[in-house]
Amino acid sequence: MPSPQSHDHAAPAAGAAKAWGGVFREPTDKRVEAFSESVSFDRRLADDDIDGSIAHARMLAACGLMSVQEADAIAHVMEEIRGEIRAGRFEFTAAKEDIHLHIESALTARLGDTGRKLHTARSRNDQVATDLRLYCRRAIDRLDRGLAALQAAFLGLAEREQGLVIPGYTHMRRAQPVLAAHQLLAWCEKLGRDRERLADCRKRTNILPLGSGAIAGTSLPIDREHVKDALGFDAVAANSLDAASDRDFACELAFVLSLTAVHLSQWAEEWILYSTPEFGFVLLPEGFCTGSSIMPQKINPDVLELVRGKSARAIGNVQALLVLLKGLPTAYNRDLQEDKERVFDSIDTLEAVLGVAAPLVAGTRFDRERIAASLDRGHLDATSLMEALIAAGVPQRTAHELVGHLVRSAMTRGVALSELTDEEFAREYPGWNAGLRAALGPHNAVDRMVSQGSTAPASVAAQLAVWRERLACGLA
Ligand code: ARG
């Protein structure tokens, strides 16, 4: 054993087993290995790490920093390692810290000096940033397909329920009648914006950090454009200091996913209510409900409750990432290792939610009979009548007050507005006539809508056509 003070170069250094061990005189404490390892979670970056390493090796060969044969050998062994990791035949150990060092040491064990050349002009700082971007890019593309599938499920249900009028609610009080399809397409719109945000986030994710080195770049003659093209990045990161430390893309992705999760939570909450016996609007597929272990009659909306509940994780992950970054000086700091589990969790959570949401929507139907039986409650046509009076020349404030009186009379008598007599209407508004009566009733109220984007059947038909077209392109 060399003494701690020994500078005998012939003796093996205490940290020789580590890729960074040369300068060390003492071995790493086992507790530190356990504390600082990341391979238990960053092994998920294995594919991206291998793709990045192969592209890097080929670039090194193109730049004369290794031979083409050496790059070929590296690529070949990398594919072997990939196969072993996928098959679960690769050994992971905390002593080797992270996925990057695992793969590189397996390469070196098989290729000797050729393997030892791979890390030329590369640091784990630009390597991990590259891997995470590749991982997020793939996730974004999968999530986009998942969101499109959910939109398609909402569209399909909207098409099946064309013409069905349901009560629309504000403040969870009956407000105005709407087409069920209109309400379903509202979710397509929200998810559509989520997809736009994902696409926008993808642009800033798809920038290549590799070639930035640890912080300052490299004095070796590399070609970053070569790697950029090989890995399908849109551009090379402009500033090496920024590139190794930039995790904006991870925050953005986590935020986009948290907002998506919030949309899905709102939807879940709505359908939890709508599927209660009290509302009785939607009938959830039984395969997407669960029972109670003590109350035999229960058919519970647990899937929707979990969709609502899982938004908490996605929201928490954004918070964690922002707090992680807020104290970091420029360039890589090991704190950044904590980013991955939060990003992975947001991606996993949304994928899990989308995986059940789309089939749940596809298997749901509306209870037309129950909806029709209660549609006359709540004076959903009051605004329609008010607008008919405005069209007849009554100032809005006057029309509002007048209809308020009529609603009060109907409430007192326990009838619908349309059940008031012509005399009762004429007492409030002397110009009362059959044309005004045509504004009453929830179906008439819907049919009379004319504004762009309204719940009028023609407007909803136009929305359906647009979404049919968009999703046909997007899903192809
Ligand atoms: N496991 C590390 C991470 O996830 C990789 C980069 C380590 N770099 C370093 N200089 N220690 O951030």
Side-chain angles (χ1 to χ4, degrees), residues 24 69 143 175:
F24 282 78
Q69 290 76 6
L143 286 158

PDB file of all heavy atoms in Angstrom, residues 24 69 143 175:
ATOM      1  N   PHE A  24      -6.096  10.878  -7.233  1.00  0.00           N
ATOM      2  CA  PHE A  24      -6.507  10.531  -5.856  1.00  0.00           C
ATOM      3  C   PHE A  24      -5.505   9.629  -5.146  1.00  0.00           C
ATOM      4  O   PHE A  24      -4.932   8.736  -5.753  1.00  0.00           O
ATOM      5  CB  PHE A  24      -7.878   9.854  -5.878  1.00  0.00           C
ATOM      6  CG  PHE A  24      -9.011  10.849  -6.044  1.00  0.00           C
ATOM      7  CD1 PHE A  24      -9.298  11.395  -7.280  1.00  0.00           C
ATOM      8  CD2 PHE A  24      -9.759  11.247  -4.944  1.00  0.00           C
ATOM      9  CE1 PHE A  24     -10.296  12.324  -7.439  1.00  0.00           C
ATOM     10  CE2 PHE A  24     -10.762  12.182  -5.100  1.00  0.00           C
ATOM     11  CZ  PHE A  24     -11.041  12.720  -6.349  1.00  0.00           C
ATOM     12  N   GLN A  69     -11.229   2.456 -38.528  1.00  0.00           N
ATOM     13  CA  GLN A  69     -11.347   1.097 -37.975  1.00  0.00           C
ATOM     14  C   GLN A  69     -11.672   1.145 -36.489  1.00  0.00           C
ATOM     15  O   GLN A  69     -12.481   0.363 -35.989  1.00  0.00           O
ATOM     16  CB  GLN A  69     -10.036   0.296 -38.182  1.00  0.00           C
ATOM     17  CG  GLN A  69      -9.740  -0.094 -39.609  1.00  0.00           C
ATOM     18  CD  GLN A  69      -9.226   1.075 -40.460  1.00  0.00           C
ATOM     19  OE1 GLN A  69      -8.979   2.187 -39.978  1.00  0.00           O
ATOM     20  NE2 GLN A  69      -9.095   0.834 -41.759  1.00  0.00           N
ATOM     21  N   LEU A 143     -45.202  11.391 -26.468  1.00  0.00           N
ATOM     22  CA  LEU A 143     -46.297  12.075 -25.766  1.00  0.00           C
ATOM     23  C   LEU A 143     -47.217  12.765 -26.766  1.00  0.00           C
ATOM     24  O   LEU A 143     -48.435  12.805 -26.585  1.00  0.00           O
ATOM     25  CB  LEU A 143     -45.730  13.091 -24.772  1.00  0.00           C
ATOM     26  CG  LEU A 143     -45.124  12.465 -23.512  1.00  0.00           C
ATOM     27  CD1 LEU A 143     -44.136  13.422 -22.845  1.00  0.00           C
ATOM     28  CD2 LEU A 143     -46.218  12.054 -22.536  1.00  0.00           C
ATOM     29  N   ALA A 175     -76.276  26.816 -16.558  1.00  0.00           N
ATOM     30  CA  ALA A 175     -76.062  28.122 -17.188  1.00  0.00           C
ATOM     31  C   ALA A 175     -76.815  28.229 -18.510  1.00  0.00           C
ATOM     32  O   ALA A 175     -77.879  28.850 -18.585  1.00  0.00           O
ATOM     33  CB  ALA A 175     -74.577  28.339 -17.400  1.00  0.00           C
TER      34      ALA A 175
END
